[in-house]
């Protein structure tokens, strides 16, 4: 439990040794990178299974608020475990497909995973900013490492808005520090309700801009399609399933713990209810994302816009702020991570082997190699939320909590369901095209053992979560109770115990 | 005018100037320069939060006899600014390198001139 720092420290250490080991022993360095990622997954799982409640871990013997603390609870444990698995699978895919031979690629991926773990566990706002920047820098470089003509365009298209948003985040930090005199998340949470409402709204807005940008929410998502298309497929998968998951987690964490208006709820800041605005923005994001996806011919762009739509739905769920909606949002995030990972890796493999990136060129691929069609179908069903597949339970809980909200909830429910139909349409269009008989002969797509191992594991997870959500429910159902309904969540209490200790 | 107010005003106007530059700039180098202005503005803002008139450096020397704290300047914002400057430097360097790659691929350093190209391999 106390060794949660290893999740951040070990990949950082290995990452910076990568250039050297890569020069000396190019083959060994890949194995080392992979073993590090495997360690991440195992260790995150170990931490998750030993979590009993919120625990604050002191780093370097400096008690908070003077030092930086890491906080482990059910939410951060679950998210870290899923993120580590996503990164492990994506990089294993990349390594086994022989695409990137350079050790720098693995260095950047390890930096990305270290920063994602930092984003998830840190208990300090400025530290969160630093980890977001590390994630950003490695992400820009990874996008630019793509081989296609859109790579540097995508990287710059991501860098510029993200840097602007991080300036706004720093403005928020300056305002919080000058009003409350601390940057520890738990300490801010205990005294945030004393901030003047108008200032509180401004602070919340400037802090959340960066998070909303990484969370791919309209109007901050202009970077998404270009970056996803420019990046290598495994990196697009990490963005969609890892980075978006981690930023959704930060959204929930800050929204519920800090900006809860002193009574537990999602983003209640007093004067202007940012939380209500986010509900509307979420609904707009769902519709905009799904319609934009419908218009795309490029498969990776289509998947990117589908992620945007899904994240909008999760934001809607979070902004309602009831037990069942938060449970639904987290379930939807996790199931989306697994399903989108499967879709991106399969699509990436097909694009790599055939050199065709538009779905209209994919006619007949599944005729020659039907298993790929089946994989795309299962991934699609998982994302759309058909019963028996994992996406269903998340969407079911979200719809169940929007529909009880009265008139606005009814409109939102209708729009989300309509967007789901659009989603279903373009995914089935994709799979249908793959199974059509094409006029020209398509080459048979072959995959290696690693790909089959990864994809069968993912299919197993998607189907298992769909058939028996109970296997993770036990932990997920505890999360909303830890977060909402009381002014001081378990997270804040755990840190405050240490704060009192440090004052003695 | 109070010095603190002036500094806050300066910080926010630098941020807004830079933001205008980022929004309207077509030339990528100009956009990166505008980002630099924004970062300078926010650094000024951060330093100002720790500003106190007539403060002394926060270093304990032997001449302090009592435990009561003298008028120390707040050291934390300065540490934050140091981190933020380093990050800004890294981002600028990386973005310039990306612009070089962009220029090699597209033959221009203007945004929006390049349509999202359709062919994608890999």
């Amino acid at each position: 439990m106390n060794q949660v720092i290893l999740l951040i420290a070990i990949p950082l250490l290995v990452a910076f040794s990568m250039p050297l080991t890569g020069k000396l022993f190019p083959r060994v360095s890949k194995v080392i990178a992979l073993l590090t990622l495997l360690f991440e997954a195992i260790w995150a799982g170990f931490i998750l299974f030993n979590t009993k409640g919120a625990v604050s871990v002191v780093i370097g013997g400096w008690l908070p608020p003077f030092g930086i603390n890491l906080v482990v609870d059910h939410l951060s444990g679950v998210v870290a475990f899923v993120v580590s698995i996503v990164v492990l699978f994506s990089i294993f895919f990349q390594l086994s497909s022989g695409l990137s031979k350079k050790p720098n690629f693995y260095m950047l991926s390890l930096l990305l995973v270290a920063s994602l773990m930092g984003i998830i566990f840190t208990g300090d706002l400025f530290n969160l900013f630093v980890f977001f920047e590390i994630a950003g820098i490695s992400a820009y470089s990874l996008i630019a490492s793509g081989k296609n003509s859109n790579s540097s365009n995508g990287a710059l298209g991501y860098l510029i808005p993200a840097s602007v948003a991080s300036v706004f985040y720093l403005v928020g930090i300056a305002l919080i520090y000058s009003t409350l005199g601390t940057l520890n998340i738990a300490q801010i949470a205990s005294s945030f309700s004393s901030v003047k409402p108008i200032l509180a709204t401004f602070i919340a807005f400037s802090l959340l801009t960066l998070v909303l940008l990484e969370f791919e929410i309209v109007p901050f998502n202009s970077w998404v399609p270009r970056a996803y298309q420019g990046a290598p497929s495994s990196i697009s998968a990490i963005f969609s399933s890892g980075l978006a998951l981690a930023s959704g987690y930060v959204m929930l964490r800050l929204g519920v713990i800090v900006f809860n208006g002193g009574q537990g709820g999602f983003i209640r800041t007093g004067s202007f209810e940012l939380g209500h605005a986010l509900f509307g923005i979420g609904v707009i994001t769902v519709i905009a994302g799904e319609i934009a996806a419908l218009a795309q011919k490029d498969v990776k762009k289509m998947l990117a816009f589908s992620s945007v739509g899904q994240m909008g739905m999760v934001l809607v769920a979070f902004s309602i702020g009831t037990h069942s909606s938060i449970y639904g949002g987290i379930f939807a995030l996790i199931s989306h991570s697994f399903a989108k990972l499967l879709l991106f890796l399969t699509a990436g493999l097909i694009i790599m082997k055939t050199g065709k990136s538009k779905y209209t060129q994919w006619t007949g691929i599944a005729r020659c190699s039907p298993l790929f069609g089946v994989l795309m179908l299962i991934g699609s069903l998982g994302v759309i939320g058909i019963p028996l597949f994992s996406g269903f339970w998340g969407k079911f809980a979200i719809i169940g909590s929007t529909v009880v909200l009265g008139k606005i909830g009814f409109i939102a429910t209708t729009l989300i369901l309509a967007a789901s139909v659009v989603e279903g349409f373009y995914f089935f269009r994709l799979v249908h095209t793959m199974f059509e008989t094409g006029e020209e002969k398509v080459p048979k797509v072959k995959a290696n053992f690693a790909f089959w191992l990864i994809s069968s594991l993912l299919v197993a997870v998607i189907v298992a979560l769909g058939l028996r959500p109970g296997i993770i429910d036990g932990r997920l159902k505890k999360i909303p109770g830890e977060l909402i309904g009381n002014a001081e969540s378990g997270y804040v209490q755990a840190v405050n115990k240490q704060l009192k200790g440090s004052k003695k | 005018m109070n010095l603190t107010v002036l500094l806050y005003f300066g910080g926010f106007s630098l941020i807004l100037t830079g933001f205008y530059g980022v929004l309207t700039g077509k030339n990528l180098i100009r956009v990166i320069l505008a980002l630099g202005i924004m970062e300078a503005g926010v650094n000024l803002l951060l330093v100002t939060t720790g500003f106190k008139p007539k403060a002394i450096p926060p270093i304990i020397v032997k001449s302090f006899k009592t435990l009561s704290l003298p008028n120390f300047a707040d050291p934390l914002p300065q540490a934050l600014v140091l981190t933020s400057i380093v990050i800004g430097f890294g981002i600028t360097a990386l973005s310039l390198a990306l612009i070089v790659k962009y220029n090699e691929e597209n033959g221009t350093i203007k945004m929006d001139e390049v349509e999202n190209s359709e062919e994608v391999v890999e």
Side-chain angles (χ1 to χ4, degrees):
Chain A
M1 176 57 56
N2 286 326
Q3 305 311 323
V4 59
I5 184 69
L6 290 182
L7 280 177
I8 303 166
I10 297 236
L12 271 182
L13 185 74
V14 178
F16 288 116
S17 69
M18 262 300 124
L20 187 67
T21 44
K23 268 256 151 52
L24 298 177
F25 325 98
R27 289 202 167 185
V28 184
S29 72
K30 281 183 202 170
V31 180
I32 293 175
L34 206 60
L35 283 178
T36 314
L37 292 172
L38 188 65
F39 162 81
E40 292 282 294
I42 292 170
W43 199 246
F46 175 74
I47 284 173
L48 172 63
F49 285 106
N50 284 310
T51 304
K52 299 277 180 317
V55 179
S56 166
V57 181
V58 177
I59 302 299
W62 291 88
L63 284 170
F66 305 111
I68 287 166
N69 60 324
L70 304 180
V71 184
V72 189
D73 61 358
H74 282 112
L75 180 58
S76 49
V78 168
V79 173
F81 184 53
V82 176
V83 166
S84 59
I85 285 185
V86 164
V87 179
L88 172 68
F89 282 6
S90 319
I91 300 301
F92 187 37
F93 167 79
Q94 182 82 12
L95 190 140
S96 65
S97 64
L99 276 178
S100 287
K101 299 206 159 60
K102 290 188 177 155
N104 289 359
F105 181 88
Y106 303 105
M107 178 185 83
L108 290 169
S109 323
L110 286 168
L111 269 183
L112 186 59
V113 71
S115 57
L116 287 176
M117 291 299 159
I119 288 171
I120 292 165
F121 285 115
T122 186
D124 184 274
L125 268 187
F126 192 78
N127 201 229
L128 184 65
F129 164 77
V130 173
F131 280 124
F132 261 124
E133 288 300 310
I134 300 174
I137 288 176
S138 39
Y140 316 140
S141 319
L142 282 169
I143 298 169
S145 78
K147 296 282 187 306
N148 64 61
S149 53
N150 231 346
S151 308
S152 61
N153 189 7
L156 279 168
Y158 181 18
L159 185 147
I160 292 165
S163 308
V164 171
S166 59
V167 168
F168 285 121
Y169 186 93
L170 278 178
V171 171
I173 281 188
L175 291 176
I176 280 196
Y177 188 71
S178 59
T179 44
L180 297 176
T182 178
L183 289 175
N184 187 287
I185 292 177
Q187 215 179 6
I188 294 167
S190 341
S191 54
F192 195 75
S193 47
S194 65
V195 180
K196 269 187 234 147
I198 183 84
L199 185 63
T201 310
F202 186 70
I203 289 175
F205 181 75
S206 43
L207 285 184
L208 292 178
T209 310
L210 179 62
V211 186
L212 285 173
L213 184 129
E214 308 279 356
F215 198 32
E216 308 174 353
I217 299 298
V218 169
F220 305 109
N221 63 352
S222 60
W223 63 273
V224 172
R226 277 188 288 173
Y228 275 57
Q229 194 196 18
S233 300
S234 58
I235 299 304
S236 313
I238 295 181
F239 285 168
S240 169
S241 310
L243 189 59
L245 175 62
S247 15
Y249 159 84
V250 175
M251 188 81 214
L252 181 63
R253 178 70 89 204
L254 292 182
V256 168
I257 288 186
V258 180
F259 308 123
N260 64 4
Q263 64 244 345
F266 186 78
I267 312 198
R268 300 281 174 268
T269 46
S271 67
F272 165 73
E273 290 299 6
L274 204 57
H276 296 170
L278 286 178
F279 180 82
I281 290 176
V283 174
I284 294 171
T285 308
V286 175
I287 299 160
E290 302 298 6
I291 289 177
L294 182 67
Q296 293 304 323
K297 287 213 165 66
D298 187 284
V299 177
K300 273 166 78 177
K301 274 193 179 177
M302 197 172 97
L303 294 178
F305 276 117
S306 149
S307 294
V308 170
Q310 293 276 326
M311 292 306 138
M313 195 178 70
V314 173
L315 182 65
V316 168
F318 286 167
S319 65
I320 296 169
T322 58
H323 277 252
S324 67
S325 78
I326 286 183
Y327 162 77
I330 298 165
F331 199 105
L333 264 178
I334 290 172
S335 105
H336 169 261
S337 285
F338 287 119
K340 224 10 126 22
L341 181 62
L342 178 63
L343 283 172
F344 262 118
L345 295 187
T346 314
L349 189 83
I350 295 176
I351 294 173
M352 186 180 81
K353 298 279 177 185
T354 61
K356 291 167 181 167
S357 63
K358 288 185 201 156
Y359 81 88
T360 43
Q361 301 166 319
W362 283 18
T363 322
I365 282 181
R367 288 256 161 189
C368 296
S369 20
L371 274 173
F372 288 95
V374 173
L375 286 180
M376 289 302 273
L377 183 66
I378 292 175
S380 310
L381 293 173
V383 172
I384 301 164
I386 301 286
L388 302 186
F389 293 91
S390 61
F392 173 70
W393 298 103
K395 216 168 226 177
F396 187 66
I398 294 172
I399 297 287
S401 48
T402 52
V403 85
V404 295
L405 287 180
K407 221 175 209 172
I408 297 173
F410 181 71
I411 298 170
T413 315
T414 321
L415 289 173
I416 291 176
L417 286 176
S420 306
V421 173
V422 176
E423 193 176 35
F425 177 74
Y426 64 75
F427 270 122
F428 285 124
R429 186 180 64 183
L430 169 71
V431 177
H432 177 75
T433 316
M434 290 178 73
F435 276 105
E436 264 178 356
T437 341
E439 284 152 21
E440 39 182 310
K441 261 234 171 241
V442 278
K444 200 168 161 61
V445 182
K446 277 184 193 151
N448 53 11
F449 172 72
F451 177 78
W452 292 121
L453 180 70
I454 295 169
S455 55
S456 51
L457 279 173
L458 285 172
V459 167
V461 170
I462 294 169
V463 174
L465 286 184
L467 292 176
R468 295 196 53 157
I471 47 181
I472 56 168
D473 262 3
R475 288 182 184 277
L476 286 193
K477 285 234 161 96
K478 283 181 198 152
I479 291 172
E482 277 181 3
L483 291 176
I484 56 169
N486 43 352
E488 283 215 336
S489 47
Y491 181 98
V492 179
Q493 285 163 7
V495 183
N496 274 352
K497 253 185 249 161
Q498 289 180 339
L499 291 176
K500 276 174 199 134
S502 71
K503 270 174 197 154
K504 270 174 202 164
Chain B
M1 196 192 279
N2 192 333
L3 185 59
T4 319
V5 176
L6 189 69
L7 286 174
Y8 272 117
F9 182 73
F12 273 111
S13 26
L14 276 176
I15 291 173
L16 291 177
T17 314
F19 192 42
Y20 175 79
V22 172
L23 288 181
T24 57
K26 291 270 181 282
N27 187 319
L28 278 169
I29 302 276
R30 280 191 188 206
V31 172
I32 299 305
L33 282 176
L35 264 180
I37 295 175
M38 282 186 91
E39 273 154 14
V42 85
N43 290 343
L44 183 58
L45 204 65
L46 277 171
V47 171
T48 312
T49 59
F51 174 79
K52 276 184 199 167
K54 291 182 186 158
I56 57 167
I59 301 166
I60 294 178
V61 286
K62 280 183 181 162
S63 58
F64 294 137
K65 292 276 161 26
T66 55
L67 277 172
S68 67
L69 285 173
N71 191 18
F72 279 149
D74 190 346
L76 187 91
Q78 296 172 19
L80 300 187
V81 166
L82 210 59
T83 316
S84 146
I85 288 173
V86 172
I87 289 174
F89 169 75
I91 294 277
T92 311
L94 179 65
S95 49
L96 288 175
L98 286 175
I99 292 173
V100 171
K101 193 173 181 245
Y102 186 88
N103 188 28
E104 278 170 7
E105 283 172 3
N106 303 307
T108 173
I109 52 166
K110 296 243 168 79
M111 286 242 272
D112 305 335
E113 271 189 6
V114 182
E115 285 297 308
N116 282 353
S117 54
E118 292 296 320
E119 326 113 56
V120 174
V121 183
E122 193 194 353

